């Protein structure tokens, strides 16, 4: 997007823009004019706001710069603090901006930018800033780098991000592997109420894979134009107690068109899965005639996803008017303040200084569905080795899904563990994840200075030559580390 397209053309209130960014503004009413929260002087003149999930900054469009990767701004509020031209109130705001930037950097939070246009303090003859127009940018920004001495680079995410959706699943007491017969509590007007089952009840039948894909049905994709579109989808259910529970997030769910659904249904029939579905409906006295090969294919199969993209969970959702209002089996957009409500149940991992215990840990992205025992053994030994090199506090496990990371004032190192005996296979599996964690603009991990592939085997000469080429020809700061077990 050209920088000129970001120019604001109106002057909405800061209060309204902060609220639109998804932050809680209820405390703005806690002053002598509670009916006029937008005028609260404690907040309305600030330059930075934040929550547990997002930072909001007010920035001047005049300070934005462009390069081949898009729009960015270098922020040095330490220099502003030391330049001597700020009064005590402005210095307090400078310090608050520094605090917001540090929080965004340390916690890898997304940043919303309110774009100001007008005269900045430095350019104004009166010595006071004058805002002529402002708007909330519709794209997230992220802190790309920090030099450790007060200078941050904030970059706008130019690429389109996948939409995040929320939808309801029919209740199932058998983990959505087969119909459980719980549909009697559904209204007789719903599909599951009429037939005694819902097609979603096989959603996590993980062994039914076609070329690595799980083909299934999600009611929310059935209405609306979602064919050949990709979403990250949060799935919740309503339990018999009326509790709404978030049960999974599936990343990169693809909606199928009629032809794709028909091909998948044909394979289901060939493999006997369709007959198995009918038999399982009969076992709970449901209407199995609703499942037949001549039905509209999208009535039985309408999505596909990779099994490793499923993150299972069990979080009770807050009992709010917003949550209660999502009672239909539809795909709801969750952006802004709505997304914050859901993110309270899907908080990213904070990380730990200790290696995790040897049990199944479900993770999103391109990871295996669960760790192997060898993985835990390598991870524990690697952590011990790194603590000897860098100290206890510098080593973290599982922060933002990175196996192990080292953070020092000088550098940030990501370690990705693979357990294959063949080093070439270890490199192949790990390299894509490390590049995504360390360099993708949407990654919460921050920019990596070094990427380390960890395996239990010793690299041979060809492995070493391959890594050397990646380092020299592509200038990737990547290496291999053997951890013997």
């Amino acid at each position: 997007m050209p920088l000129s397209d970001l120019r604001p053309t109106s002057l909405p209130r800061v209060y309204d823009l902060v609220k639109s960014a998804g932050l809680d503004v209820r405390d703005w009413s806690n002053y002598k004019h509670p009916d006029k929260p937008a005028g609260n002087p404690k907040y309305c003149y600030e330059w930075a706001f934040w929550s547990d999930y997002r930072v909001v900054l007010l920035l001047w469009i005049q300070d934005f710069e462009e390069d081949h990767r898009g729009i960015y701004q270098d922020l040095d509020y330490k220099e502003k603090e030391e330049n001597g031209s700020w009064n005590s109130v402005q210095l307090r705001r400078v310090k608050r901006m520094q605090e917001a930037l540090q929080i965004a950097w340390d916690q890898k939070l997304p940043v919303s930018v309110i774009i100001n246009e007008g005269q900045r303090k430095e350019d104004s003859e009166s010595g006071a800033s004058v805002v002529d127009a402002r708007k909330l940018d519709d794209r997230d920004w992220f802190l790309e780098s920090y030099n450790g001495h007060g200078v941050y680079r904030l970059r706008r995410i130019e690429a389109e991000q996948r939409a995040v959706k929320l939808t309801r699943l029919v209740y199932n007491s058998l983990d959505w592997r087969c119909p459980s017969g719980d549909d009697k509590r559904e209204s007789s007007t719903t599909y599951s109420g009429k037939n005694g089952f819902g097609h979603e009840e096989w959603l996590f039948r993980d062994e039914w894979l076609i070329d690595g894909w799980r083909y299934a049905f999600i009611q929310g994709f059935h209405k609306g134009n979602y064919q050949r579109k990709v979403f990250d989808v949060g799935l919740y259910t309503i339990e018999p107690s009326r509790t709404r529970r978030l049960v999974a997030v599936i990343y990169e769910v693809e909606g199928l068109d009629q032809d794709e659904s028909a091909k998948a249904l044909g394979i289901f029939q060939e493999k006997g899965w369709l007959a198995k579905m009918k038999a399982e409906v009969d076992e709970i006295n449901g209407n199995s005639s609703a499942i037949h090969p001549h039905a509209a294919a999208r009535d039985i199969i309408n999505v596909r996803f990779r099994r490793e993209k499923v993150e299972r969970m069990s979080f009770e959702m807050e009992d709010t008017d917003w949550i209660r209002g999502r009672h239909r089996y539809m795909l709801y957009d969750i952006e802004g303040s709505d997304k914050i409500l859901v993110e309270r149940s899907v908080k990213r991992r904070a990380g730990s200084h200790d290696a995790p215990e040897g049990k199944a840990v479900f993770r999103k992205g391109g990871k295996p569905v669960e760790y192997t025992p060898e993985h835990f053994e390598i991870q524990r030994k690697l952590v011990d080795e790194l603590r000897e090199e860098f100290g206890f506090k510098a080593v973290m496990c599982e922060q933002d899904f990175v196996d192990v990371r080292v953070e020092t004032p000088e550098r940030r190192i990501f370690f990705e563990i693979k357990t294959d005996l063949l080093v070439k296979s270890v490199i192949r599996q790990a390299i894509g994840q490390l590049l995504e964690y360390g360099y993708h603009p949407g990654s919460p991990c921050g920019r990596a200075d070094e990427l380390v592939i960890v395996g239990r085997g010793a690299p041979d000469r060809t492995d070493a030559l391959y890594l050397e080429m990646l380092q020299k020809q592509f200038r990737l700061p990547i290496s291999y580390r053997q951890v013997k077990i």
Side-chain angles (χ1 to χ4, degrees):
M1 172 183 286
L3 186 55
S4 58
D5 290 349
L6 286 181
R7 295 194 179 282
T9 57
S10 59
L11 192 61
R13 301 178 300 183
V14 172
Y15 168 86
D16 295 321
L17 297 181
V18 172
K19 184 177 181 181
S20 295
L23 269 61
D24 188 343
V25 294
R26 287 176 293 184
D27 194 55
W28 289 55
S29 299
N30 292 331
Y31 83 120
K32 63 182 179 181
H33 300 296
D35 58 327
K36 299 178 180 178
N40 187 339
K42 179 182 176 182
Y43 295 109
C44 67
Y45 301 114
E46 292 294 335
W47 305 341
F49 307 88
W50 61 84
S51 69
D52 290 341
Y53 311 100
R54 179 172 294 273
V55 169
V56 179
L57 305 178
L58 278 73
L59 301 176
W60 295 91
I61 193 170
Q62 295 96 310
D63 295 327
F64 293 174
E65 298 183 63
E66 289 184 272
D67 61 15
H68 68 285
R69 294 179 55 209
I71 297 169
Y72 70 96
Q73 181 177 342
D74 288 331
L75 302 163
D76 187 355
Y77 282 87
K78 186 174 182 180
E79 180 186 17
K80 290 179 182 291
E81 180 183 3
E82 295 172 350
N83 70 9
S85 63
W86 301 84
N87 61 38
S88 60
V89 174
Q90 292 167 329
L91 277 174
R92 182 181 60 78
R93 292 176 189 150
V94 166
K95 288 182 179 295
R96 183 173 170 83
M97 178 68 89
Q98 287 177 299
E99 184 179 1
L101 290 168
Q102 194 63 48
I103 288 171
W105 176 257
D106 290 341
Q107 300 183 24
K108 311 301 178 290
L109 297 181
V111 178
S112 291
V113 172
I114 296 175
I115 303 171
N116 287 335
E117 185 165 33
Q119 285 191 314
R120 297 167 302 175
K121 175 182 183 294
E122 297 92 329
D123 304 327
S124 172
E125 294 180 1
S126 65
S129 298
V130 179
V131 179
D132 297 323
R134 68 169 68 96
K135 74 174 185 179
L136 177 67
D137 191 5
D138 60 1
R139 291 282 180 85
D140 278 349
W141 296 55
F142 73 103
L143 285 174
E144 181 179 62
S145 63
Y146 172 52
N147 71 352
H149 304 288
V151 181
Y152 299 84
R153 173 160 291 187
L154 184 69
R155 184 172 291 276
R156 187 173 191 260
I157 297 178
E158 300 294 344
E160 290 288 348
Q161 301 297 296
R162 286 192 307 276
V164 180
K165 303 284 188 178
L166 179 71
T167 192
R168 176 183 166 188
L169 291 181
V170 64
Y171 178 70
N172 181 286
S173 58
L174 296 177
D175 202 35
W176 290 273
R177 289 185 50 79
C178 63
S180 60
D182 301 302
D183 307 277
K184 298 179 181 64
R185 52 182 292 275
E186 288 279 341
S187 166
S188 60
T189 61
T190 66
Y191 182 92
S192 59
K194 292 176 182 176
N195 294 285
F197 76 99
H199 290 283
E200 299 162 308
E201 297 194 68
W202 292 272
L203 186 63
F204 299 131
R205 193 66 161 265
D206 290 342
E207 66 270 26
W208 289 358
L209 297 178
I210 301 174
D211 194 25
W213 290 93
R214 176 75 188 101
Y215 284 79
F217 181 90
I218 297 177
Q219 179 63 33
F221 279 78
H222 203 49
K223 295 182 179 179
N225 184 22
Y226 302 123
Q227 300 178 29
R228 295 207 166 189
K229 294 182 180 179
V230 182
F231 305 107
D232 293 340
V233 181
L235 303 168
Y236 76 98
T237 193
I238 300 179
E239 299 177 329
S241 64
R242 307 308 297 172
T243 298
R244 286 162 175 79
R245 186 170 298 279
L246 194 68
V247 298
V249 174
I250 309 180
Y251 301 89
E252 301 174 23
V253 181
E254 297 185 7
L256 303 178
D257 62 23
Q258 185 63 35
D259 288 342
E260 292 166 330
S261 295
K263 290 176 183 177
L265 186 62
I267 295 174
F268 267 53
Q269 187 177 5
E270 290 172 10
K271 290 181 174 289
W273 298 342
L274 204 63
K276 182 65 174 174
M277 292 168 69
K278 289 172 65 69
E280 290 175 346
V281 172
D282 285 333
E283 288 175 10
I284 60 165
N285 299 316
N287 176 24
S288 64
S289 64
I291 300 176
H292 58 86
H294 304 297
R298 292 193 74 253
D299 289 344
I300 300 175
I301 300 170
N302 63 1
V303 298
R304 74 174 188 172
F305 53 87
R306 296 286 187 183
R307 187 176 60 175
E308 62 268 21
K309 298 290 186 180
V310 178
E311 186 174 5
R312 299 299 305 276
M313 54 192 61
S314 179
F315 292 108
E316 184 175 335
M317 303 180 78
E318 292 186 357
D319 187 23
T320 63
D321 290 340
W322 188 90
I323 293 296
R324 286 193 297 272
R326 270 64 185 165
H327 59 282
R328 296 290 183 186
Y329 293 90
M330 297 172 60
L331 280 183
Y332 290 96
D333 290 311
I334 46 174
E335 298 297 336
S337 59
D338 291 341
K339 188 176 181 183
I340 298 302
L341 291 170
V342 178
E343 285 177 344
R344 286 173 180 163
S345 296
V346 198
K347 291 180 68 175
R348 64 184 179 86
R349 292 188 183 176
S352 169
H353 289 292
D354 297 317
E357 295 298 319
K359 60 183 180 180
V361 179
F362 295 90
R363 308 190 287 181
K364 66 184 178 183
K367 295 282 191 177
V369 177
E370 60 182 47
Y371 292 123
T372 62
E374 295 86 358
H375 186 286
F376 287 103
E377 195 172 345
I378 294 172
Q379 190 172 35
R380 289 195 193 97
K381 192 168 182 181
L382 175 64
V383 167
D384 289 341
E385 293 175 1
L386 294 174
R387 284 174 179 167
E388 289 291 325
E389 295 177 40
F390 298 98
F392 183 88
K393 291 186 177 180
V395 183
M396 295 288 288
C397 292
E398 301 303 322
Q399 184 172 340
D400 297 319
F401 304 95
V402 178
D403 284 338
V404 181
R405 62 193 286 160
V406 169
E407 293 263 5
T408 72
E410 294 78 29
R411 54 184 170 156
R412 174 183 290 147
I413 312 170
F414 294 165
F415 297 81
E416 181 61 31
I417 298 167
K418 297 299 176 187
T419 61
D420 292 47
L421 289 172
L422 191 65
V423 172
K424 184 169 70 172
S425 297
V426 171
I427 295 171
R428 181 193 311 128
Q429 294 175 46
I431 193 168
Q433 287 174 232
L434 283 170
L435 292 174
E436 179 181 326
Y437 292 155
Y439 302 123
H440 193 285
S443 170
C445 306
R447 186 69 176 263
D449 299 301
E450 298 178 40
L451 306 173
V452 182
I453 299 166
V454 180
R456 52 178 165 159
D460 62 21
R461 182 173 177 275
T462 59
D463 298 325
L465 288 172
Y466 177 48
L467 288 168
E468 184 179 356
M469 184 198 69
L470 294 177
Q471 294 162 358
K472 292 183 177 179
Q473 184 170 335
F474 298 101
R475 298 183 180 179
L476 289 176
I478 196 162
S479 61
Y480 179 87
R481 180 172 181 142
Q482 181 185 14
V483 175
K484 296 180 180 180
I485 58 172

